[in-house]
Amino acid sequence: MTAVQATLADVASRAGVSLATASRAFSGSGGRRVRPELRDRVLRAAAELNYSPNASARAMVLGRTDIVGLVVHDIADPYFSAIASGVMAEAAEWGLLVTVASTLRDPHQELRYVELLHQQRARAVLLAGSRIDQPELLDAIRAELRAVTRTGGRVACLSQDVLDVSTVVVENRLGAAAMGRALHQRGYRRFVVLAGPDLLVTARDRAEGFVYGLAEAGLDTATVRVVPGAFTRDGAYAEMRALLDEGLDADCVFAVNDVMAVGAVAALRDHGTPVPEAIGVAGFDDIATLRDITPALSTVRVPLVEMGRTLMRLALGSPARAADEPAPVQRVRVPGEVILRASTPGRTPA
Amino acid sequence: MTAVQATLADVASRAGVSLATASRAFSGSGGRRVRPELRDRVLRAAAELNYSPNASARAMVLGRTDIVGLVVHDIADPYFSAIASGVMAEAAEWGLLVTVASTLRDPHQELRYVELLHQQRARAVLLAGSRIDQPELLDAIRAELRAVTRTGGRVACLSQDVLDVSTVVVENRLGAAAMGRALHQRGYRRFVVLAGPDLLVTARDRAEGFVYGLAEAGLDTATVRVVPGAFTRDGAYAEMRALLDEGLDADCVFAVNDVMAVGAVAALRDHGTPVPEAIGVAGFDDIATLRDITPALSTVRVPLVEMGRTLMRLALGSPARAADEPAPVQRVRVPGEVILRASTPGRTPA
DNA sequence: CTGTTAGCGCTTTCAA
DNA sequence: TTGAAAGCGCTAACAG
């Protein structure tokens, strides 16, 4: 009967050295070297025994782990999977493993996951996704994040700068405003905004920014129809559908994200309203998977993968800094880039 | 100066109880209850000290963790993010955390991640994504997985049943064959298959299955043009483009996944070849995000999210089974469902 | 019920 | 260089 799993002690005794030597043979820590011959013996013994270091044991004595936790609203949403991709790419370069938690847009789950990740003593906890405009919720998250930093964990957030931690701030308002101006300049005048949930700060910032941009361009914003709803494809589809059924009069719809824009296009199509001939449609994010839809979607590009990398880097701090120093709170602002495509060719005044 | 992080010992002494009692107050393990009054004292002390149990310490003594590892080829690919979504949903129900590793299609990374996950003593290691047809690679993965099971870890795989572990087997051949027959029945006769990488078993199974289905339908398969290439949107775009430039004569293209099909449609469009009027296009997977593209893509639907859940369940075994019994090796076959949409309306013989 | 105590596997002083 | 030994924080016998 073979043992379930060889431990370092097994390796040491098989190699005929002490536990300490075996340990040093692996970590070779801080100049404390092991004579090459012994080292080889240890390594050979380890191989023969299929030794695999126990990360929990090491974590316990070291007081830190190689795990970073990433909390997203919905990993199946291409917005978040792109960000996750960036986080993982960066984490891999630091030799870190990424634990991803998908809250399915339940803020209480988010709280729970941060706490769980704290229990794991994750090296860093990353929050990606819009904050929700509820003070109690924000306080609760702040407290939980503080618990993480108190243990030496790093923390960073991607969305709004409201948690007193390093943040990748997406310039939702500015990007949306620029889109508003651009569409106005293309001749659109009668706008509908599919605004998403009221309390979702990202959605609200985009909707408000867009209207602001329109105002800057000189449009009477009282004419802009802002329609709240779900932050999803199906939500946008339903709202668009309802608007159409009640006899909508508009020449352009702005959805606060690409996935919603796609839903709007589908609703329009199903209703027999041609896009972009009868009505223009624009979104936000520039989701890669959606780049081939017809008509090509005008959108505000946000460098999602790169943002994921930045998020990870922000948490870890600059490489020069010692790993156990607290990272200073920083902000990185990410601008959005307006990309006009076939879905908003413009409208020449009749 | 406050302590960095309260330990259970701190909680115990503040509550005026022994370490064991404090521990029991939390776990309430196996009938070994604590007098309510003491329990309250412990819980209050814990709250006052911001106590947070150390998962590593617990993992070490328990000999197991609450982490499951999921290894995918590319988390930004909607195929995998949908699967990951299912895995996480199921994991959440078991109180497990999911560590996701994205190999970027490098098999050596996959191997490395399995080893890393083993070091974490993950409760289960899940491999999602096509196997690669290289015996040495398969042997290496098998060995690594065996190391996991030897430690009591569970293992499951999604794709082909070649690793001697529980597997969610996607019926790629059958699904593709059914698609072949369906397209033949719609009158298509001159086929191109964008087949993806030769060594990627999933890609090969789909391509071969498709041709097989065509043969079943009575087509002379010598007329089918099978073109290998990358498993990506851009790969398919490039190959389609090249085919077009050399003067392709076909009435239908089958891409071995939806993302590639979208690339093909884009290439066709850029080339001025109307889809579906001049040529039909079909894909595989039924990626949700792609359901609104025009023309609506004919495809073989695979229930990705559900497959992710099944994958997780397969690894864990039935709930009735004790958590430390080895799970029996099982197979779950997932059929694909042919869905014909506007991208392959059919061709009436001239 | 509650407390004492012996580890889990590993790293790291501290001596030799 | 190497070894002996002291924990890291927690759970689970084993006694009371």
Side-chain angles (χ1 to χ4, degrees), chain B residues 186-256:
Chain B
R186 284 210 164 179
Y188 293 106
R189 292 296 180 271
R190 305 189 317 284
F191 291 93
V192 168
V193 178
L194 297 181
D198 256 349
L199 291 177
L200 205 66
V201 182
T202 294
R204 200 169 60 200
D205 281 353
R206 291 177 180 182
E208 290 179 0
F210 185 76
V211 174
Y212 185 82
L214 254 20
E216 284 182 305
L219 189 77
D220 172 10
T221 56
T223 67
V224 179
R225 178 87 182 265
V226 179
V227 185
F231 206 50
T232 62
R233 183 267 180 207
D234 290 348
Y237 182 93
E239 289 131 32
M240 195 69 238
R241 199 65 216 225
L243 287 167
L244 254 11
D245 287 346
E246 74 177 42
L248 173 72
D249 172 48
D251 58 13
C252 190
V253 12
F254 171 66
V256 292

Side-chain angles (χ1 to χ4, degrees), chain A residues 7-8 20 23 51 54 58 61:
Chain A
T7 71
L8 192 54
S23 174
Y51 171 70
N54 182 320
R58 168 175 285 174
V61 43

Side-chain angles (χ1 to χ4, degrees), chain A residues 240-325:
Chain A
M240 195 70 239
R241 199 64 215 224
L243 287 167
L244 255 9
D245 287 346
E246 72 177 42
L248 173 71
D249 171 48
D251 57 13
C252 190
V253 12
F254 172 65
V256 292
N257 69 223
D258 279 359
V259 174
M260 291 174 68
V262 165
V265 170
L268 256 2
R269 180 153 44 222
D270 290 354
H271 184 265
T273 305
V275 178
E277 293 76 10
I279 189 167
V281 176
F284 205 114
D285 288 340
D286 196 34
I287 297 298
T289 318
L290 258 21
R291 264 170 221 165
D292 288 306
I293 71 156
T294 322
L297 206 57
S298 293
T299 191
V300 180
R301 170 178 295 173
V302 182
L304 299 172
V305 177
E306 188 51 38
M307 279 158 50
R309 294 194 92 111
T310 305
L311 177 62
M312 182 78 260
R313 259 188 253 116
L314 225 46
L316 264 17
S318 70
R321 173 180 315 282
D324 51 355
E325 261 180 80

Side-chain angles (χ1 to χ4, degrees), chain B residues 104-175:
Chain B
L104 302 183
R105 306 183 184 281
D106 174 354
H108 298 97
Q109 276 299 323
E110 184 172 65
L111 215 52
R112 215 184 100 63
Y113 278 128
V114 174
E115 148 116 56
L116 240 34
L117 260 7
H118 176 211
Q119 296 187 4
Q120 303 292 331
R121 300 296 186 268
R123 182 82 69 86
V125 172
L126 274 23
L127 257 40
S130 175
R131 291 303 96 211
I132 289 183
D133 190 13
Q134 286 181 359
E136 325 81 78
L137 224 50
L138 290 173
D139 286 343
I141 288 278
R142 269 191 214 102
E144 211 62 70
L145 291 180
R146 218 173 302 122
V148 173
T149 53
R150 212 184 303 120
T151 333
R154 305 301 191 75
V155 159
C157 165
L158 186 156
S159 60
Q160 290 82 35
D161 181 19
V162 294
L163 293 180
D164 310 330
V165 303
S166 286
T167 305
V168 179
V169 183
V170 186
E171 296 280 24
N172 289 309
R173 304 184 83 92
L174 289 179

